[in-house]
Each structure stands twice: as structure tokens, then as C-alpha cells.
Amino acid sequence: MKLPTFSDVESAHQKIKSHIHRTPVLTNHQVDERAGGRIFFKCENFQKVGAFKFRGACNAVFSLPDEQAANGVATHSSGNHAQAIALAAKIKGIPAHIVMPENAPEVKKKAVKGYGADITFSESTQEGRESTLAEVVKRTGATFIHPYNDARIIAGQGTATIELLDAYPDLDIILTPVGGGGLLSGTAIAAHGISKKVNVIGCEPEIANDAWRSFRSGKLQPVERIDTVADGLRTSLGELSFACITQYVDDIVTVSEEQIIEAMRFIWERMNIIIEASCAVPVAALFHDKVNAKNKNVAVIITGGNVDLDHLPWN
Amino acid sequence: MKLPTFSDVESAHQKIKSHIHRTPVLTNHQVDERAGGRIFFKCENFQKVGAFKFRGACNAVFSLPDEQAANGVATHSSGNHAQAIALAAKIKGIPAHIVMPENAPEVKKKAVKGYGADITFSESTQEGRESTLAEVVKRTGATFIHPYNDARIIAGQGTATIELLDAYPDLDIILTPVGGGGLLSGTAIAAHGISKKVNVIGCEPEIANDAWRSFRSGKLQPVERIDTVADGLRTSLGELSFACITQYVDDIVTVSEEQIIEAMRFIWERMNIIIEASCAVPVAALFHDKVNAKNKNVAVIITGGNVDLDHLPWN
């Protein structure tokens, strides 16, 4: 299996930088005090579509040869990846075909439509989505872009780390949450290519610890429970992301549901930014000594702010 | 009455810039589409203590002659100004005496204590606060710093606009909420000193429209109702801020409570930033054509993110 390289991340950076936001890095002394180190938040919740996913989607779409791109791109997702693909295709001026389960939240359907994408509804099962996607691809000739098990996506997600280490070359540790593993893979490849000293650590909910088990055992293991509050992390690693993580990632640590919710609220209250539960996972790891930040410079990639304001986890 | 000048704002900028965050400016295409112009959010909700108030407090504290400063500073407040004075005094290494009503929320008492300030509790009436403050000042020799009716405070609040126009010299309009009027005054003085073309407009809740009535009538009029959801705007203009506003501000517009709450939620959902209801007031003015943003470059000063997550206004 050919893994994406640092040079792929650099190419992605050049390809997408005029289309994405160079997101700000925020700091907060109350977070520093609690974590015992200097913590830098790379705010991808302020990225276009509200999540880092736009980086990978943009790189994948802009990597297609023109004649292939003309037939459009397709994916199945009800989350940020769908919006990211839709917006990237809109900017490129090609069709986007998004397969969504009929019962997807209205607000998500609206967002994808708002970017001009064509939505095809499917049954909500994995099989239903995949068979509907296969039909769409067959009918349109569009290129399927997987949300994380794709070298172009992984390289795109790594571009946040190029920006981070450009602004803060002296980082000791970079933390990301790990769900499908695309962000963690890209981050580790980029960090490894730039800095000799930085460690990259993935952070995962205890009750959805497939990456932790896979990393420890050296064998890809599927997620068993998908009821973690960190709904962005309910997916399992793919083969490609697992291979990248095995090669480049330094460690994976886990935190409890209670720790995730408490860390999420702490960040909302002290930093005035809306972060989804998924990106509270690395913050919880810092607050509960799963990662030793003592006197270190630690960056956390804040992945997104996709939250239902009518159902906050502390209510 | 001697009004603060642009030169006072410039001095404040030099005095405080190493102590404050140069806050980021965020943009969002969904906001732009809805407002019909290009909207730039100056994110003072990411300022130290979570609000622009730290600028004014910092300038006031660092403007004191050393022998006067040694006796400390004092104020009565249960809000951001108290935290701002406490932190500024801590940085300067002098005592801060904060008078708070006994029934102030526990979290606010804790925050002020966390900055090392000395808290004296008072009755919750205006008279109770003022008489307790007078006793504290008499006992300690501390200098009272008013939250907005103070030239040093006004000059400090204006420094956000120096940063704004330095980064975006082509702004057509700057919007701020107006409560006591310190931010609006400082913004207008700074904008007037830098740009020939920029208009500064204050935005106020309809049901707490003392600034609107005062501006229109040319006579200082107190606020009558203090039940607006925009709790930071329940205060009336002071004499000094009214004089600044009369001289430098181009207009004041008002919006309804429903418009404020809807704009606040829109910003939370689309921009992933936590803004308090007060700073949704200018956003509501843009969304409801109280300000004509058509094809214009409009900045909004996001004042802070002081929100009780257990009591959100849309619940």
C-alpha cells in the first residue's frame, strides 16, 4: 500500500491555500494553567464549512484531472465531509453528488443543497448508502471520494500542520482526535516531514477505542460501540489511515465520556469558541494527564463546531 | 468637558499592546450573503477576560502615576469590567478592590478572586454599591475606575479600531453595540482619527433605547427598561460618553429582542463562536436592514462571550 508522503502534503498546501481559510491559533491562560503547559488551539472550527474536512475535500477535488473532474464527484455522508465536497466542487465548477440517508437532519440537507450539490436519498443502513452511491457513480461517471481512506484526503488534512509549524516551529506535541484517522494520519505525516522533535498523539473516546486497540495490537480492529458523545469519532480506521498511523503516530490515548463533556464545556466557557465533542477529546486528555504537557508547547487541532444547540451534552 | 482625542487612543495602543491579545478578525460567507456586504468580525470575545473591557481597564491602570497606582484601583461591577480591572492590576502588580453585590453569581466571584483581587460585598442596590465603594476608596486610597464614563477607558476601548483599520483600511462602516457608550465613543474617536470615509454606527435594543433617544434629542436620557436580553446594554450613557457620541458617531439604530436572539443563534451556528446577546445587536441591525451594508465593507466589534450556558435565550 502506497502511503501519502510529506511531499503530497506540501503539494496539497500549494493547491488549496487560496481556497481555504488560514485559521487562527488561539491561546488561553486558564487552559494553560490547568494543563500545565502552553496550549495552542488551531481553530479549524473556523474553516470553511466549519471543519478541517474542507482541506481534504478541496485537495481531492482539485487533484482530479480535468476530464475526470468534469463528470463530478460523489460521496455518501451526512456530515461535514458532504458539505466539504459540495463546496469544493462548487468552487471548482463541477457537479457534486451527495448520497444522504432520508432521515438526515433537515439542517444538513439544507447546507449541502446550499452549496449547489445534487442530493440522492438512500436508506440509512451502510449497505443502503453504498448501493445508492454505486448507482449514482455508474449513472454520472462521478469520482467517489472517501471521507478518510484516501491519500488525497489525508494529504489535505495534513496542511493544517504545515500552517501550525510555520507559525509555531517549537511545538513539542500535536494532538488530534481520531475517528476514521484521516486527520491524525495527515498530521503525523506533515509533522514528521517538518520537525525532528514533535510527537503526534491521537486521542479517542474509551468506549470507541478501535484506533487504540488497533495501534496497540498492530491489527486493524473495528469499532464496537458507536454511542460516544463524540459523534465525529464513531467511525473505524480504514486500511490506509491505519497504515499511516502505524508508521508515523507516536501514541494513542483514551478518555471517558464524562471527561469529554466537561472539557467541552470548559472550552466553551473560557475560550468562547464552539467546539464539537470530538475535539474536546484531546483537551480532556490534557486535563487528565493522559498526555504529559508539563512545560511543553502542545497544539490541539480543533476539528469543528458541528453541534446541535438544542441538545447540548451537559443538559 | 474635555473629550478623549485620537492621540489618547494612540497612546493607549502603545501602552497596552504588549498586555492584550491582538484579536483575530473572522469572516463568513453565509453572513455576507445575508447582510449583502462583506462583514468583518473583530473578535474581542477572544480578548483576555473574554471581552473588550480589558483594553480600557488596562489603559486606565497603566495610565496611573506610580505613587497613585501603589494604593491600588477600585470599582463596583459584577461583570467583565471587574475581571478586567482585576487582571490589569495583577499584571501591573498593584491591589484591586472590587465591590460586588452579595448575590452576584458564584462563577463571577470566583473569576475575580482568581485574578487575585480583593472583593468587598455590598447590598445589591446602586446606592449600596456606591456607598460601599466610597468606604473602600477612603480606607485604601485606591483610585476608582468607572466602567465607561472615563477618558482612559474610552481611549482604551478605541484601540480595537486601530487594529481593525490597520488590517482593513478600506472599511466603510464600523458597528458596535451601545450600553454605557465607552466602546462606541472610543471606536468613533479612533475611526475619525484614521479614516476619512468610515462611518461609525451604534446599535441598541429597542426596549433599552436611551442612547437612540439621547442622540436624536441631543439631551442625555436615562434608560427606562432594563429587561433586554442584551444584558451588557442595560446601562445608560454617561455624560462623557454622550458628549463623545454626539460629536463623533454617525447614527444609532435599534433592533427588537427577537431579532437579537435570532442573530445570536445564527452566529453561534454558522461561525462557531460564542457571542453574548449584546454583540448580536449589530448583527441583527445588518440582517434587518437597519444599516445598509449593500456591497460595503462593514466591521462589527464582537464585544464578548459572557453567556450562561445553562440559560440560553432560545431555550
Side-chain angles (χ1 to χ4, degrees):
Chain A
M1 191 167 6
K2 198 181 162 310
L3 306 190
T5 63
F6 177 55
S7 144
D8 293 330
V9 183
E10 283 182 307
S11 306
H13 177 61
Q14 293 305 326
K15 204 168 279 166
I16 70 176
K17 68 180 180 188
S18 66
H19 302 302
I20 63 166
H21 288 315
R22 190 175 177 114
T23 51
V25 174
L26 296 181
T27 60
N28 180 278
H29 85 276
Q30 293 172 93
V31 170
D32 288 0
E33 268 177 23
R34 194 164 165 197
R38 285 165 302 279
I39 316 302
F40 301 86
F41 290 89
K42 175 69 170 165
C43 286
E44 288 296 300
N45 50 339
F46 305 151
Q47 190 49 266
K48 288 184 182 173
V49 315
F52 74 95
K53 295 263 179 183
F54 185 62
R55 294 178 181 270
C58 205
N59 187 50
V61 165
F62 281 80
S63 293
L64 294 175
D66 282 347
E67 56 288 24
Q68 188 182 349
N71 291 329
V73 287
T75 199
H76 60 88
S77 158
S78 54
N80 292 328
H81 179 63
Q83 293 183 43
I85 289 288
L87 178 57
K90 184 185 177 189
I91 293 171
K92 174 83 178 168
I94 62 172
H97 304 281
I98 311 293
V99 173
M100 293 181 104
E102 270 154 355
N103 60 0
E106 213 44 55
V107 58
K108 297 196 174 183
K109 295 178 191 167
K110 219 172 127 185
V112 167
K113 267 187 205 144
Y115 295 122
D118 166 59
I119 302 183
T120 306
F121 293 106
S122 72
E123 289 176 38
S124 64
T125 58
Q126 187 67 14
E127 298 75 39
R129 291 173 180 219
E130 285 177 3
S131 66
T132 303
L133 177 72
E135 284 163 28
V136 168
V137 165
K138 195 171 168 194
R139 173 166 54 79
T140 61
T143 303
F144 168 49
I145 298 178
H146 191 279
Y148 52 87
N149 207 41
D150 180 307
R152 301 159 298 188
I153 294 284
I154 289 173
Q157 317 305 30
T159 60
T161 295
I162 290 187
E163 295 174 16
L164 244 181
L165 285 165
D166 182 44
Y168 300 93
D170 202 33
L171 292 179
D172 299 298
I173 302 172
I174 303 176
L175 303 180
T176 80
V178 51
L183 175 65
L184 179 57
S185 297
T187 301
I189 292 166
H192 192 262
I194 299 170
S195 163
K196 288 282 158 274
K197 75 166 182 176
V198 68
N199 284 324
V200 174
I201 300 174
C203 304
E204 199 176 31
E206 265 165 28
I207 66 167
N209 66 350
D210 67 293
W212 183 85
R213 286 182 285 112
S214 302
F215 187 77
R216 288 280 182 291
S217 67
K219 203 168 152 244
L220 191 55
Q221 303 198 18
V223 74
E224 282 157 2
R225 286 177 62 182
I226 57 158
D227 53 350
T228 173
V229 65
D231 55 354
L233 310 183
R234 289 173 184 167
T235 43
S236 300
L237 296 182
E239 288 186 6
L240 183 62
S241 52
F242 177 56
C244 295
I245 288 167
T246 303
Q247 178 148 355
Y248 292 106
V249 169
D250 296 285
D251 201 0
I252 292 182
V253 299
T254 63
V255 292
S256 74
E257 297 295 294
E258 292 69 30
Q259 291 169 339
I260 295 169
I261 294 169
E262 191 275 336
M264 180 178 170
R265 182 164 179 156
F266 189 93
I267 297 302
W268 282 47
E269 289 186 333
R270 312 305 168 103
M271 296 189 65
N272 293 333
I273 62 178
I274 291 179
I275 66 169
E276 59 201 24
S278 302
C279 36
V281 173
V283 181
L286 284 170
F287 287 173
H288 297 279
D289 294 325
K290 305 301 176 87
V291 172
N292 180 7
K294 201 78 187 162
N295 299 319
K296 297 225 168 77
N297 297 317
V298 184
V300 175
I301 301 190
I302 296 296
T303 49
N306 201 342
V307 173
D308 180 350
L309 292 178
D310 291 321
H311 298 92
L312 295 173
W314 48 77
N315 284 343
Chain B
M1 191 164 11
K2 197 180 163 308
L3 306 190
T5 63
F6 177 55
S7 145
D8 293 331
V9 183
E10 282 182 308
S11 305
H13 177 61
Q14 293 306 325
K15 205 168 278 165
I16 70 176
K17 69 180 181 188
S18 66
H19 302 302
I20 63 165
H21 288 316
R22 191 175 176 113
T23 51
V25 173
L26 296 181
T27 60
N28 181 278
H29 84 276
Q30 294 172 91
V31 171
D32 289 359
E33 267 177 24
R34 194 164 164 196
R38 286 166 301 279
I39 316 301
F40 301 87
F41 290 89
K42 176 69 170 166
C43 286
E44 289 294 300
N45 50 339
F46 305 152
Q47 189 51 266
K48 289 183 182 175
V49 315
F52 74 95
K53 295 263 178 182
F54 184 62
R55 294 179 182 268
C58 205
N59 187 49
V61 165
F62 280 81
S63 294
L64 294 175
D66 282 347
E67 58 283 28
Q68 189 182 349
N71 291 329
V73 287
T75 198
H76 60 89
S77 159
S78 53
N80 292 328
H81 179 63
Q83 292 183 45
I85 289 288
L87 178 57
K90 185 185 178 188
I91 294 171
K92 175 83 177 168
I94 62 173
H97 304 281
I98 311 292
V99 172
M100 294 182 102
E102 270 155 355
N103 61 0
E106 212 43 56
V107 58
K108 297 196 175 183
K109 295 177 191 168
K110 217 171 130 187
V112 167
K113 267 188 204 145
Y115 294 122
D118 166 57
I119 301 183
T120 306
F121 292 106
S122 72
E123 289 177 38
S124 65
T125 59
Q126 187 68 14
E127 298 75 37
R129 290 173 180 219
E130 286 177 4
S131 65
T132 304
L133 178 71
E135 285 163 28
V136 168
V137 164
K138 195 171 169 196
R139 174 167 52 80
T140 61
T143 303
F144 168 48
I145 298 178
H146 190 279
Y148 52 87
N149 207 40
D150 180 308
R152 301 159 298 189
I153 293 285
I154 289 173
Q157 317 305 30
T159 60
T161 295
I162 290 187
E163 295 174 16
L164 243 181
L165 284 165
D166 181 46
Y168 300 94
D170 203 33
L171 292 179
D172 299 298
I173 302 171
I174 304 177
L175 303 179
T176 79
V178 51
L183 176 65
L184 179 57
S185 297
T187 301
I189 293 166
H192 192 261
I194 299 169
S195 163
K196 289 281 159 275
K197 75 167 182 176
V198 69
N199 284 324
V200 173
I201 300 174
C203 303
E204 200 176 32
E206 265 165 28
I207 66 166
N209 66 349
D210 69 293
W212 183 86
R213 286 183 285 113
S214 303
F215 187 77
R216 287 280 182 292
S217 67
K219 204 168 150 243
L220 191 54
Q221 303 197 18
V223 74
E224 282 156 4
R225 287 177 60 182
I226 56 158
D227 53 350
T228 172
V229 66
D231 54 356
L233 310 182
R234 289 173 184 167
T235 43
S236 299
L237 296 182
E239 288 187 7
L240 182 63
S241 52
F242 177 55
C244 295
I245 288 167
T246 302
Q247 176 148 355
Y248 292 107
V249 169
D250 295 286
D251 202 1
I252 293 182
V253 299
T254 63
V255 293
S256 73
E257 298 294 294
E258 294 68 30
Q259 291 169 339
I260 296 168
I261 295 169
E262 191 276 334
M264 179 178 170
R265 183 165 179 155
F266 190 93
I267 297 302
W268 282 47
E269 288 186 333
R270 312 305 167 102
M271 296 189 65
N272 293 333
I273 62 177
I274 291 179
I275 66 170
E276 59 201 24
S278 303
C279 38
V281 173
V283 181
L286 284 170
F287 287 174
H288 297 279
D289 294 324
K290 306 301 175 88
V291 173
N292 180 7
K294 202 79 189 162
N295 299 319
K296 296 225 168 77
N297 296 317
V298 183
V300 176
I301 301 190
I302 296 296
T303 49
N306 201 344
V307 173
D308 180 350
L309 293 178
D310 291 321
H311 298 95
L312 295 172
W314 47 79
N315 283 342

